[in-house]
Every structure is written in structure tokens, then in C-alpha cells.
């Protein structure tokens, strides 16, 4: 019984052989382009391969139009042509780093360079090159598509549904563990592995949903429901994390007194997620979601200190979001599984404390990203340096191949700056040696395709089988690319050792240029990048805190809206980027950079981001005017203190110290407790509307949450030797 790895390797090898055979039989030049298409679109399922193939075809066709247009505009002006081409190539990596159609932009960039450079800027030759490129790409897509569908077809639906079930089970388990943590039933449990699994499963869900929509008619028919399901799972994960971060503030409280129906509420949420799991497993749900809200005992709560009331208000807000999300999740899954008639179930009165659940709106408009901009700059610099090298240095090994092969690799590396250039050295050297041995010692004895075909099949099979794991994709891509380029299979085949030598000698030049661009404009060392992103994170956090001083009732200028959107986006995404860079730090070179310590620091930043987001949202809610007048000076002082800390951390992220921070926070909380009590005594609680009263405590809890998250970050960073990360190393 063949393994899946062997089957996929055989399919790719067979498609590669057939693509070469058809291209040579039709006497097409550059048969290797069909081989490149097969090599690059071959993925583990039909849907993933078809999606990638469609993007490759579309990217190639757009590149044909763009390259011919540029040649028509600048037929005699080489420099304007190159400037225009470089500008386009710069746009492509910026878009590649975005959330959608990354491969389309990759193909558009390097195919444009291939057509322009491969034709030596000759419009007539460029047209022939463009048409041939389109033909070869279409051939590769067609051949691989037919082979994938006819030989061991493997659609994505089964994998997609398996990931959906696993992710639903993971979310359900997290809900149960978080409830046990909140109520004190469990006090010592390691959630890191489960949370990491949840993140990985959500990422797989997004990839496999797109693939399953392509190769499964059933999934395509329900694509809107599955898209909504994915959005709800993302929102549910965020709400669970926000809920978890309030547990420290609730440990000293008797929650069942404050929330009389807490057990019933948890049982209902647990039952809903359990029924979602049943439906995803193909079973009929046993009950219908009941209407329920987390009730509060107002007399018991009002006897508590104000900051504990704020923590309870935050918990109740999270509970409302959890109730809404789980209900909608149940309805979406019921729709997907075709459970048409609602079942009979018990309901409870929603009570007089109901409030609308507010969720952040999707989208938010276009926001420029500094890291994507840096990718664009690095790619444009690579193209310029490679072009000027070809112009001003005679006899550069590889000639125009330096650009045609270098641009796709350079674009990929620019969008993955955390991958060091040295990781390409061994795959490149091994691939050149492997392909060179075949070219020099085996292919000269070949006289027909009956001998050539088995060579192509065997070489492709060996590369795909040996480098089948996702973490080995770099070696697989490099191996197939070098085999295709060095063998340069044509009907009129010629052999020259200098062809292999020139290709091999091209790589030192290529790597030299790539290393120069990698260090521009910033060092690519992971610890330096980590500190740089950390400083940017705190600059954005400081700006967001400064916006809390603006009156939400007053309209903002367009520039203020754009700036706030930009900084909010940075605070949201930078912890994830820091996590990627943190995994690249070598703890043997940097004491205090243990993987667990770095991971804990990143988690603390994620918590801080959630707290800042909750605070910003609470600030947008209407506040009691009388309380606002009384407490504005105190809140302003607290906000300015937080801003000052963020400003100091942004200037010197390696100089974080928690000395006296905890005591200052406790003193400020105690002072503010007294001021709130005095203000409420003067204003009178009966004079404050219930909704405004709750909004006030949400705002108060937001400030408390941000302060506590900052303290946790300071403690963790203080335990790490971040100062040593600033030292130069080579």
C-alpha cells in the first residue's frame, strides 16, 4: 500500500514527464516553463493545486499584458523601461505580504521580468516570448490537473471537515478549562499547548476552506455558511481570550454570589458547543439553545470595591458576547448540516439586564504596513543591483538568468525576512550538484524521449519524495528549479560543462546581492528585528492612549482617523510578528532568550493588545456626564502615566524595569477608589442611568486591565536580558 507521500510524488513526477513530452512533441521552445508550472502548483489536494494553478495562469496573463504595454511605451528608452519594471516589481511583494492572492502577485512580478529580460527589450521577440509563456503555463496546469483528477484523486473536503471537527473540539475544551480556572476548580493547568493548537487549526481551516470550495461541489454550495462559520470561530476565540485575561481579578470574589445563574449559564454554553460538535459529526442535536443571560446580584455587587465591580462588568460583557456567538454558531452549523426544523428546548427570561452585544466591524479600510513597505524596497533594491551588475560588469556568470531566477527568490525572501539567507546555501549547492551530475553524466547518452522520460520521472520523484514535508518546501522548490534550469531540456539538445559552471558561479553573485538587500535598511538579525518591532508596538500603543483624551462626541479629521486606524492595526498584528521573529532567536547566543521566555513575553503583549482594544471600545460608549466631570483629572493623570511608560519603552525597549511599578499601580488604584466613592457620594448613584453606570465601570475596568497587563509585561521582560540583544554580533 503506497503512502500518501509516495502517491503525491508519483503524480507530480508523471505530470512533469507528460508536460515535457507534449511540449517537445509540439516543438515548443522553453519546454522547461511547462515543467516549472507543474513543479510550483503541485500541492497535496486537488483544490489547493487548482487554486494555485488559477492564480499562476491569471498572474501570467496579466504579466503578458503589462510587459508588452511597458515595451510599447518605452521601445527605445532602456532606463525608463527598467524604472517602470522595478516599480511594478516593488508593488508585487507589498501585495504578496497581504492576506489574499499572494501567489498571483508573485507570478505577476517575476513573469514580467522574464518576458522583458528574456526578450532583450525587443517588442517582437517579447510578444513571441509572452505567447509561449502563456502556452507553456496553460499546458502545465492542464496536465497536472488531469493527472490529479484521474490518478488517486484527493479532494480537500475530508481534510477540511476533519479540521473543522478538531477545531470545534478544541474550542469546547478551552471553554471548559477557562470556566474551571475562573471558578477555581483548576488552578494549575498549562494552556499554552492547547492555545497553540487552536491557532494552528484556525489557520488550517482558512486554507482548506478555500481549497474545499474549489474541489467539492457540496462545500461550494454552502460556501457562504462556511465563511460565516470561520468568522464566528475567529470571534469566539478572541472572546475566550478576553474572558480568560480577567480571571486574575476575579479570584478573590465569590462569583456564584455575584452571578446567581453562573452554573446555568456555563451549562448552556457548554451544551451549545457540545451540540455543535454533534452536528459536525453527523449526529442530530439533542436540544435547542435556550435564551439565557448572566444575571447579576446588584446589592451584592455594589458592596464591592469599584475596581472589582469593573472586573465583573468586563466578565459580564464577555459573557454576553459569548452567548451571542455560540447561538449564531449553532444556527450556522444547523444550516450547514441541513437540520431544518428547530427543536423544542427550554427557554429562560432574558431579564432586565440585557444589553446589545457589540463586535468590532470587519475590515476597517486600507492601512499601510511598514513591514510590507520594507519588502517592496528590498525587492526593488535587489532588481537595481542585479541590473547594474549586468550592465557594468562584463562576464557576470549566468547573464540575464541572474535576474530571471533571482527575482522570484528575492521576492519570496523579502516577504519572509525572518528566514536567513544562509538557509539557501545548502539547498542551492546540493541542487546544483544533483542536477549537474544528471546533466553531465547521464543525459549525453540519451537519444530519444523513451530514455529521457524515465530520467525526468525518476529525478522528480526522488526530489518530491525526499522533500515532502511542509518544512522542506524550500529544498523541494530549489531542487526542482535547478533540475529544470540546468538540464534545459530541448529538442535540439547540446551539452556544455560551462553551462553548469556558469549556473553554479551565478549563486555567489546572487547571494552577495541578496545579503546586501537583507541588511537594508535594517539588520535582519532576529533579536534586532524583535527590539525594533517592540519599539514600534509601544509607539503605536502610546498614540492610542493619547486618543482617549479626545471627546468621542466630537468628529475627527480624516488624518486622525487614518492615524488611529494605522496604530490600532500595529497593536493588533505586531504580537504575531514578534512571535515569528522570537522563534528565530538562538538562545545559545543570547542568554535570557529561552523559547519559553520569549513566548511568554509575546503572550503578555497579546494580552496587552486585547486590553487596549477593550479600553478603546469602552471609551466610545456614552459616559455619565456628572461622573466624567468629577473624575476627569484623575483619569487623565492615569492615562498620562500609562503614556509615559509606553513612551519610555518605545525609546528603549531593552531598558524595561518593573522597579516600583507594582507599588505605584496599587497606590494609584487605592487613591482612585477613594475618589470614585467621594464622587458617587456627591453625585448620587440614583442620578446615573444604569447603562451609563455600566459603561463607566467598563471604562474603569479597561484602565485597570491595561495597567495589569503592563505590569505582567514588565515582570516578564525584566526577567530577560534584553540589553544584551542590542550588542552587535556577526
Amino acid at each position: 500500500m503506497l503512502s500518501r507521500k509516495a502517491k503525491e510524488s508519483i503524480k507530480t513526477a508523471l505530470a512533469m514527464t507528460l508536460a515535457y513530452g507534449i511540449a517537445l512533441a509540439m516543438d515548443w521552445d522553453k519546454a522547461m516553463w511547462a515543467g516549472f508550472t507543474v513543479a510550483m502548483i503541485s500541492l497535496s489536494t486537488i483544490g489547493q493545486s487548482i487554486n494555485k494553478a488559477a492564480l499562476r495562469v491569471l498572474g501570467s496573463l496579466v504579466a503578458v499584458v503589462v510587459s508588452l504595454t511597458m515595451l510599447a511605451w518605452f521601445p527605445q528608452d532602456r532606463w525608463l523601461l527598467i524604472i517602470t519594471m522595478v516599480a511594478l516589481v516593488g508593488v508585487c511583494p507589498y501585495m504578496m505580504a497581504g492576506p489574499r492572492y499572494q501567489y498571483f502577485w508573485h507570478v505577476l512580478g517575476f513573469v514580467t521580468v522574464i518576458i522583458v529580460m528574456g526578450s532583450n527589450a525587443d517588442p517582437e521577440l517579447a510578444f513571441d516570448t509572452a505567447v509561449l509563456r502563456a502556452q507553456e503555463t496553460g499546458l502545465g496546469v492542464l496536465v497536472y490537473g488531469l493527472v490529479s483528477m484521474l490518478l488517486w484523486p484527493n479532494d480537500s473536503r475530508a481534510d477540511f471537515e476533519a479540521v473543522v471537527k478538531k477545531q470545534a473540539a478544541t474550542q469546547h475544551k478551552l471553554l471548559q478549562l477557562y470556566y474551571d480556572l475562573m471558578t477555581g476548580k483548576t488552578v494549575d493547568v498549562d494552556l499554552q499547548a492547547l492555545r497553540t493548537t487552536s491557532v494552528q487549526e484556525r489557520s488550517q481551516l482558512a486554507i482548506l476552506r478555500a481549497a474545499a470550495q474549489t474541489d467539492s461541489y457540496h462545500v461550494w454550495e454552502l460556501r457562504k455558511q462556511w465563511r460565516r462559520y470561520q468568522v464566528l470561530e475567529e470571534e469566539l476565540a478572541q472572546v475566550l481570550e478576553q474572558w480568560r485575561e480577567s480571571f486574575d481579578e476575579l479570584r478573590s470574589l465569590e462569583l456564584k454570589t455575584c452571578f446567581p445563574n453562573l452554573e446555568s449559564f456555563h451549562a448552556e454554553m457548554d451544551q451549545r458547543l457540545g451540540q455543535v460538535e454533534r452536528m459536525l459529526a453527523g449526529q442530530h442535536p439533542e436540544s435547542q439553545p435556550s435564551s439565557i443571560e448572566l444575571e447579576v446580584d446588584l446589592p451584592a455587587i455594589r458592596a464591592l470595591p469599584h475596581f472589582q465591580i469593573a472586573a465583573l462588568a468586563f466578565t459580564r460583557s464577555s459573557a454576553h458576547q459569548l452567548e451571542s456567538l455560540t447561538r449564531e454558531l449553532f444556527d450556522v452549523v444547523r444550516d450547514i448540516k441541513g437540520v431544518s426544523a428547530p427543536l423544542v428546548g427550554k427557554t429562560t427570561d432574558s431579564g432586565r439586564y440585557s444589553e446589545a452585544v457589540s463586535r468590532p466591524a470587519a475590515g476597517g479600510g486600507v492601512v499601510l504596513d511598514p513591514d510590507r513597505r520594507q519588502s517592496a524596497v528590498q525587492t526593488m533594491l535587489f532588481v537595481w543591483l542585479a541590473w547594474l551588475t549586468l550592465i557594468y560588469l562584463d562576464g557576470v556568470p549566468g547573464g540575464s538568468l541572474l535576474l530571471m531566477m533571482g527575482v522570484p527568490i528575492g521576492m519570496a525572501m523579502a516577504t519572509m525576512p525572518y528566514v536567513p539567507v544562509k538557509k539557501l546555501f545548502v539547498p542551492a549547492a546540493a541542487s546544483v550538484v544533483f542536477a549537474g551530475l544528471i546533466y553531465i553524466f547521464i543525459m549525453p547518452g540519451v537519444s530519444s524521449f523513451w530514455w529521457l522520460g524515465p530520467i525526468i520521472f525518476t529525478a522528480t520523484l526522488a526530489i518530491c519524495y525526499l522533500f515532502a514535508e511542509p518544512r522542506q518546501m524550500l529544498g523541494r522548490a530549489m531542487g526542482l528549479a535547478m533540475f529544470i534550469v540546468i538540464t534545459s531540456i530541448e529538442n535540439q539538445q547540446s551539452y556544455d560543462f560551462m553551462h553548469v559552471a556558469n549556473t553554479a558561479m551565478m549563486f555567489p553573485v546572487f547571494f552577495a546581492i541578496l545579503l546586501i538587500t537583507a541588511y537594508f535598511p535594517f539588520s535582519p538579525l532576529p533579536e534586532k528585528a524583535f527590539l525594533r518591532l517592540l519599539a514600534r508596538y509601544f509607539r503605536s500603543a502610546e498614540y492610542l492612549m493619547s486618543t482617549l483624551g479626545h471627546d468621542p462626541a466630537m468628529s475627527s479629521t480624516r488624518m486622525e482617523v487614518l492615524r488611529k486606524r494605522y496604530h490600532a492595526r500595529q497593536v493588533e498584528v505586531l504580537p504575531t510578528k514578534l512571535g515569528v521573529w522570537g522563534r528565530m532567536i538562538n538562545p545559545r547566543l543570547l542568554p535570557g532568550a529561552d523559547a519559553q521566555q520569549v513566548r511568554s513575553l509575546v503572550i503578555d503583549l497579546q494580552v496587552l493588545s486585547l486590553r487596549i482594544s477593550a479600553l478603546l471600545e469602552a471609551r466610545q460608549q456614552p459616559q455619565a456626564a456628572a461622573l466624567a466631570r468629577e473624575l476627569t483629572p484623575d483619569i487623565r493623570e492615569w492615562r498620562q502615566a500609562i503614556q509615559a511608560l509606553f513612551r519610555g519603552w518605545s525609546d528603549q525597549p531593552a531598558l524595561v524595569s518593573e522597579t516600583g511599578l507594582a507599588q505605584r499601580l496599587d497606590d494609584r488604584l487605592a487613591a482612585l477608589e477613594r475618589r470614585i466613592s467621594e464622587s458617587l457620594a456627591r453625585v448620587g448613584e440614583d442620578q446615573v442611568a444604569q447603562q451609563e453606570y455600566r459603561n463607566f465601570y467598563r471604562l474603569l475596568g479597561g484602565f485597570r486591565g491595561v495597567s495589569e497587563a503592563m505590569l505582567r509585561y514588565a515582570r516578564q521582560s525584566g526577567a530577560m536580558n534584553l540589553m544584551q540583544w542590542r550588542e552587535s554580533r556577526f
Side-chain angles (χ1 to χ4, degrees):
M1 187 69 176
L2 291 175
S3 65
R4 182 169 179 176
K5 179 172 72 171
K7 291 178 180 179
E8 295 302 322
S9 301
I10 291 172
K11 287 160 63 173
T12 302
L14 179 60
M16 181 82 75
T17 306
L18 291 175
Y20 265 111
I22 295 172
L24 294 175
M26 299 183 71
D27 200 23
W28 286 352
D29 290 334
K30 304 292 183 183
M32 64 179 182
W33 287 345
F36 265 121
T37 299
V38 171
M40 296 303 131
I41 69 172
S42 54
L43 294 171
S44 58
T45 65
I46 296 175
Q48 289 174 296
S49 298
I50 291 177
N51 285 342
K52 195 170 184 181
L55 293 175
R56 189 175 183 93
V57 170
L58 183 60
S60 297
L61 293 177
V62 174
V64 167
V65 175
V66 170
S67 56
L68 293 180
T69 300
M70 288 193 300
L71 289 167
W73 283 350
F74 313 111
Q76 303 296 330
D77 197 322
R78 180 174 60 182
W79 288 105
L80 281 178
L81 175 64
I82 295 302
I83 290 172
T84 307
M85 184 183 74
V86 170
L88 172 71
V89 173
V91 171
C92 291
Y94 185 92
M95 301 303 296
M96 280 174 62
R100 303 179 67 187
Y101 310 126
Q102 294 95 336
Y103 193 57
F104 164 81
W105 294 102
H106 193 195
V107 173
L108 173 59
F110 73 75
V111 171
T112 300
V113 173
I114 288 174
I115 294 174
V116 173
M117 298 302 300
S119 63
N120 292 321
D122 183 341
E124 184 176 351
L125 181 57
F127 179 80
D128 294 337
T129 303
V131 171
L132 184 60
R133 178 80 192 191
Q135 288 177 329
E136 302 273 9
T137 300
L139 173 63
V141 169
L142 178 62
V143 169
Y144 185 79
L146 290 174
V147 170
S148 296
M149 288 186 288
L150 298 176
L151 185 64
W152 300 308
N154 180 35
D155 63 33
S156 306
R157 181 181 174 184
D159 292 342
F160 170 64
E161 292 182 343
V163 169
V164 168
K165 293 175 186 176
K166 287 195 295 184
Q167 202 233 356
T170 301
Q171 295 282 61
H172 190 187
K173 189 173 182 180
L174 280 173
L175 174 70
Q176 294 169 332
L177 287 175
Y178 285 176
Y179 177 78
D180 290 344
L181 279 173
M182 182 179 73
T183 55
K185 295 180 180 179
T186 300
V187 295
D188 186 18
V189 58
D190 184 11
L191 294 170
Q192 183 58 38
L194 193 60
R195 294 169 66 196
T196 302
T197 299
S198 177
V199 172
Q200 293 172 344
E201 288 171 349
R202 293 201 304 274
S203 177
Q204 292 174 352
L205 178 65
I207 296 172
L208 290 174
R209 181 182 64 82
Q213 285 181 188
T214 302
D215 61 22
S216 171
Y217 179 76
H218 180 76
V219 178
W220 170 258
E221 283 291 291
L222 297 169
R223 62 191 181 280
K224 293 182 179 179
Q225 291 90 330
W226 280 120
R227 188 180 303 118
R228 184 59 188 158
Y229 175 86
Q230 182 185 342
V231 171
L232 290 172
E233 284 288 354
E234 292 286 348
E235 292 181 359
L236 179 60
Q238 183 175 358
V239 169
L240 286 175
E241 288 305 304
Q242 290 176 341
W243 181 39
R244 182 184 66 84
E245 293 309 323
S246 65
F247 292 168
D248 289 342
E249 302 159 14
L250 303 175
R251 294 192 189 280
S252 61
L253 299 176
E254 183 57 47
L255 293 178
K256 293 180 182 179
T257 301
C258 300
F259 301 130
N261 69 334
L262 180 61
E263 287 286 354
S264 300
F265 182 85
H266 169 255
E268 175 63 24
M269 298 303 103
D270 184 70
Q271 185 180 53
R272 289 183 188 181
L273 293 186
Q275 298 309 309
V276 167
E277 286 188 79
R278 283 182 59 86
M279 288 188 287
L280 290 174
Q283 302 175 22
H284 205 274
E286 296 176 335
S287 62
Q288 172 80 1
S290 301
S291 298
I292 190 170
E293 286 190 1
L294 192 60
E295 298 174 355
V296 296
D297 186 339
L298 286 179
I301 287 179
R302 285 178 174 173
L304 296 173
H306 297 290
F307 282 104
Q308 289 186 345
I309 297 176
L312 291 172
F314 182 83
T315 301
R316 188 165 182 267
S317 175
S318 298
H320 279 295
Q321 295 181 56
L322 186 62
E323 195 279 334
S324 176
L325 287 170
T326 52
R327 175 184 293 277
E328 189 173 356
L329 190 66
F330 183 97
D331 292 339
V332 169
V333 174
R334 185 174 58 189
D335 188 19
I336 290 172
K337 292 300 179 180
V339 182
S340 56
L343 302 173
V344 177
K346 59 184 180 179
T347 61
T348 60
D349 184 17
S350 60
R352 61 191 182 92
Y353 299 112
S354 62
E355 61 186 54
V357 176
S358 61
R359 295 184 208 151
V366 178
V367 179
L368 295 178
D369 189 287
D371 298 312
R372 294 169 65 181
R373 183 179 59 208
Q374 182 177 336
S375 299
V377 171
Q378 288 181 340
T379 303
M380 290 190 289
L381 179 61
F382 176 88
V383 176
W384 272 117
L385 290 177
W387 168 253
L388 294 175
T389 300
L390 293 176
I391 291 294
Y392 292 107
L393 295 180
D394 293 333
V396 175
S400 60
L401 187 64
L402 177 65
L403 263 175
M404 291 190 287
M405 273 204 66
V407 168
I409 299 176
M411 291 172 67
M413 295 298 290
T415 56
M416 298 184 294
Y418 45 85
V419 177
V421 176
K422 64 182 180 182
K423 281 193 173 291
L424 293 176
F425 294 169
V426 173
S431 301
V432 169
V433 171
F434 175 75
L437 291 175
I438 294 176
Y439 178 82
I440 294 171
F441 294 105
I442 298 178
M443 288 188 60
V446 174
S447 58
S448 69
F449 192 77
W450 294 108
W451 288 102
L452 178 62
I455 294 174
I456 297 174
F457 183 89
T458 304
T460 306
L461 176 64
I463 294 170
C464 293
Y465 188 83
L466 293 174
F467 298 93
E469 299 298 325
R471 65 179 183 275
Q472 298 174 311
M473 286 296 104
L474 182 62
R476 180 182 185 273
M478 188 67 75
L480 291 174
M482 286 300 97
F483 171 73
I484 292 170
V485 169
I486 289 179
T487 55
S488 298
I489 297 171
E490 300 286 350
N491 277 324
Q492 303 299 322
Q493 189 78 26
S494 60
Y495 301 97
D496 185 357
F497 173 77
M498 291 306 299
H499 170 63
V500 179
N502 279 331
T503 304
M505 292 303 297
M506 177 192 72
F507 278 98
V509 180
F510 165 71
F511 285 133
I513 298 174
L514 201 59
L515 282 169
I516 293 172
T517 58
Y519 277 85
F520 182 86
F522 305 110
S523 170
L525 294 177
E527 67 273 15
K528 301 295 190 296
F530 193 94
L531 292 177
R532 187 168 62 249
L533 294 182
L534 201 58
R536 192 201 306 165
Y537 176 90
F538 286 119
R539 282 196 297 272
S540 293
E542 181 202 351
Y543 178 82
L544 291 178
M545 294 304 297
S546 70
T547 63
L548 295 174
H550 300 164
D551 186 352
M554 297 180 61
S555 60
S556 301
T557 65
R558 180 170 178 80
M559 182 57 67
E560 289 173 340
V561 171
L562 291 176
R563 288 188 67 190
K564 186 173 181 179
R565 186 184 298 164
Y566 165 80
H567 290 291
R569 178 66 176 167
Q570 294 303 302
V571 168
E572 177 188 356
V573 303
L574 280 176
T576 302
K577 295 181 180 180
L578 285 164
V580 174
W581 280 105
R583 289 195 294 270
M584 299 298 166
I585 296 174
N586 189 345
R588 292 176 298 179
L589 299 176
L590 295 170
D594 178 77
Q596 182 59 44
Q597 288 181 304
V598 175
R599 188 160 51 244
S600 298
L601 188 70
V602 171
I603 290 173
D604 289 339
L605 288 173
Q606 290 172 336
V607 171
L608 182 56
S609 295
L610 291 174
R611 293 299 200 176
I612 291 174
S613 176
L615 176 58
L616 292 173
E617 184 180 351
R619 182 66 179 90
Q620 297 302 313
Q621 305 302 318
Q623 304 293 325
L627 278 177
R629 285 194 301 270
E630 289 283 335
L631 296 173
T632 291
D634 302 272
I635 296 294
R636 183 189 302 118
E637 184 181 354
W638 195 350
R639 172 177 58 80
Q640 290 174 346
I642 293 175
Q643 283 182 245
L645 276 173
F646 282 154
R647 189 180 308 115
W649 292 349
S650 66
D651 293 337
Q652 295 289 342
L655 292 177
V656 176
S657 174
E658 62 160 323
T659 304
L661 185 59
Q663 186 60 49
R664 293 200 304 273
L665 175 60
D666 290 340
D667 293 343
R668 189 173 297 279
L669 291 177
L672 198 55
E673 281 276 0
R674 292 192 297 270
R675 288 282 295 126
I676 294 172
S677 298
E678 294 169 1
S679 299
L680 286 174
R682 282 195 297 270
V683 173
E685 292 187 22
D686 295 338
Q687 303 302 314
V688 182
Q690 284 295 317
Q691 185 61 51
E692 293 179 342
Y693 188 79
R694 287 195 293 267
N695 290 342
F696 166 72
Y697 278 110
R698 285 184 63 188
L699 182 64
L700 199 62
F703 275 106
R704 166 75 179 266
V706 170
S707 302
E708 293 283 0
M710 291 171 64
L711 180 59
R712 278 201 295 257
Y713 166 79
R715 287 171 176 165
Q716 182 60 40
S717 59
M720 301 169 64
N721 190 8
L722 294 181
M723 283 297 296
Q724 188 172 350
W725 295 18
R726 301 184 63 188
E727 297 176 3
S728 300
R729 67 179 180 88
F730 302 94

